[in-house]
């Protein structure tokens, strides 16, 4: 019994250590809207965070947005809003063929930039 408890403790403990932060492992930056539709929320959030962080680092965010950012966790709320915007923009069509035709050539990064411009996040 002690071996099982030790084993379970090690599994639980190691999962906490190896768990990715919310902003890690985003991979959708240059992908199509179809990839976005199939992606996990975690990937969408990390990708959105990366896109916002890049604009912040390059001085491209509007001052009222940039002034709210003091560390990486300040970006999370913005990233959550961007995920919601992109989910709405890439809402799947019920017909799979029509969905593919509409979204195959729409890029995540380009649509994210347009959404952030429309929200007044980019100067």
């Amino acid at each position: 019994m002690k071996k099982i408890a030790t084993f379970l403790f090690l599994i639980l403990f190691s999962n906490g250590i190896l768990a990715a932060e919310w902003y890690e492992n985003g991979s959708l930056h240059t992908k199509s809207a179809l990839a976005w539709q199939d992606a996990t929320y975690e990937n969408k959030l990390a990708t959105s965070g990366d896109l916002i962080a890049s604009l912040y680092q390059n001085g491209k965010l509007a001052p009222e947005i940039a002034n709210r950012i003091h560390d990486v966790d300040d970006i999370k709320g913005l990233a959550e809003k961007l995920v919601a915007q992109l989910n709405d923009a890439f809402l799947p069509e019920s017909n799979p063929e029509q969905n593919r035709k509409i979204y195959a050539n729409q890029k995540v990064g380009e649509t994210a930039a347009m959404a952030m411009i429309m929200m007044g996040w980019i100067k």
Side-chain angles (χ1 to χ4, degrees), residues 45-105:
L45 185 64
T47 300
S48 295
D50 286 347
L51 294 169
I52 295 165
S54 177
L55 291 170
Y56 175 76
Q57 290 170 343
N58 290 307
K60 302 292 184 187
L61 288 179
E64 57 272 14
I65 300 299
N67 291 338
R68 294 171 30 192
I69 299 173
H70 304 288
D71 61 37
V72 70
D73 288 324
D74 293 334
I75 294 173
K76 188 174 183 181
L78 296 168
E80 290 168 338
K81 289 177 185 174
L82 184 56
V83 168
Q85 290 291 317
L86 293 175
N87 282 343
D88 287 346
F90 299 146
L91 193 63
E93 293 290 323
S94 57
N95 179 309
E97 181 61 26
Q98 186 69 16
N99 188 67
R100 188 191 63 71
K101 285 180 182 177
I102 292 171
Y103 295 115
N105 294 316

Side-chain angles (χ1 to χ4, degrees), residues 18-36:
L18 300 177
E21 296 289 340
W22 71 266
Y23 50 82
E24 295 179 324
N25 303 320
S27 64
L28 303 167
H29 309 74
T30 60
K31 303 288 184 179
S32 75
L34 296 174
W36 181 272

Side-chain angles (χ1 to χ4, degrees), residues 38-51:
D38 291 337
T40 64
Y41 180 79
E42 292 78 15
N43 193 355
K44 293 175 180 181
L45 185 64
T47 300
S48 295
D50 286 347
L51 294 169

